[in-house]
Amino acid sequence: NEVTFFRMLFGIAPALAVCLRGRPISARVRNLDFRGQTVRAVTLLGASACFFAGLPYLPLSEAVAIVYSEALFVIVLAPILLGERLFLRNAMSALFGFIGVLLVIRPQGALSNWIGPAFLISSAIFGALSMLQIRRIRTRDDSGITVLFFTVVGTAVTGVSLFFAWRAPTLRDLAIMALLAIFATVGQLFFTVAVRRANAATLAPYTYTGIIWATLFGYVIWVETLGVIPMLGIILIVGSSIALAI
């Protein structure tokens, strides 16, 4: 909860800096879709918190691959929440993607082996709900104010959790969490802008290069390596998600 809180708190400054450009913030806030933005903020906050909670249990590349399955959950949830039609081609792609998730998780009997995957799958579900909510938000809510609203709401919600669980961070911890907030906020802003300006088929190949970066960082920093079965699962997740986008 502290990692999530400081990620939000330190993210306010870069989000606010972006919003200071262009029209006055007061004018944009006055016409804000508060209900839609609140639902998106809460679901995205859930995705972020569950990701941080599940990350210690799996190698970075596998954790990122599981979270990237959110595109598959979008296909499953869109007919229910948005009334969209579910095509057979999409259903088959999602099925192969979920098989890939199982290969990455490699489910075993011990309950402790399910803690990390459970958090990460929950993160993917919350992420999918957040993506669906973007389509419901009024288009006049620009990307900058969307990111700022999420950051402020996330700071307020996670701030309450500090009353129930708190361990004083060191200066080094604060520095790392500040960098996390800056990178995450800038990345979210870029992603929000991209979703509004390009179609999914164009974005998909670029989005999934994140798994390549996660594999590289995991190897360089923690000497994490991927086995054949998890690699096959990642290929199925990425391949099925790109197939859905095209």
Side-chain angles (χ1 to χ4, degrees):
N1 68 313
E2 288 180 52
V3 173
T4 308
F5 168 75
F6 283 110
R7 175 263 179 269
M8 299 299 166
L9 179 65
F10 289 126
I12 292 178
L16 184 61
V18 172
C19 286
L20 290 176
R21 302 178 59 184
R23 292 188 302 137
I25 296 180
S26 58
R28 286 183 280 179
V29 171
R30 192 161 45 245
N31 297 318
L32 194 67
D33 181 2
F34 280 98
R35 182 178 181 277
Q37 290 284 3
T38 299
V39 173
R40 181 195 180 257
V42 171
T43 53
L44 190 55
L45 177 62
S48 180
C50 288
F51 177 72
F52 291 145
L55 193 55
Y57 295 92
L58 290 173
L60 182 61
S61 55
E62 295 182 18
V64 171
I66 293 173
V67 171
Y68 274 9
S69 67
E70 65 183 18
L72 310 177
F73 287 104
V74 168
I75 294 302
V76 174
L77 295 173
I80 300 173
L81 300 179
L82 300 181
E84 296 182 355
R85 182 179 177 184
L86 178 61
F87 295 97
L88 178 61
R89 170 179 173 273
N90 292 347
M92 293 303 297
S93 296
L95 176 61
F96 281 108
F98 287 126
I99 292 174
V101 172
L102 291 177
L103 291 178
V104 173
I105 296 174
R106 303 183 300 284
Q108 302 176 26
L111 180 61
S112 60
N113 294 326
W114 281 96
I115 295 176
F119 275 123
L120 294 167
I121 290 175
S122 298
S123 176
I125 294 174
F126 278 120
L129 293 172
S130 173
M131 292 178 66
L132 292 173
Q133 186 60 22
I134 289 179
R135 299 180 57 181
R136 290 179 167 182
I137 296 174
R138 294 196 294 260
T139 55
R140 66 170 176 264
D141 291 356
D142 63 76
S143 303
I145 201 68
T146 295
V147 173
L148 178 61
F149 187 90
F150 160 67
T151 309
V152 171
V153 170
T155 302
V157 172
T158 55
V160 175
S161 72
L162 300 180
F163 290 100
F164 304 96
W166 169 259
R167 185 172 60 188
T170 64
L171 291 177
R172 180 178 179 274
D173 294 333
L174 288 174
I176 292 174
M177 288 187 285
L179 286 174
L180 166 64
I182 293 172
F183 288 138
T185 302
V186 173
Q188 188 202 355
L189 177 64
F190 285 164
F191 178 77
T192 304
V193 172
V195 168
R196 291 183 180 275
R197 298 193 179 188
N199 58 51
T202 302
L203 295 177
Y206 297 96
T207 300
Y208 289 98
T209 60
I211 295 179
I212 299 176
W213 291 110
T215 303
L216 178 62
F217 292 147
Y219 177 77
V220 171
I221 300 174
W222 297 287
V223 199
E224 296 175 347
T225 57
L226 276 176
V228 175
I229 294 179
M231 179 64 73
L232 178 60
I234 290 175
I235 292 173
L236 283 174
I237 294 172
V238 174
S240 60
S241 299
I242 293 178
L244 289 170
I246 298 176

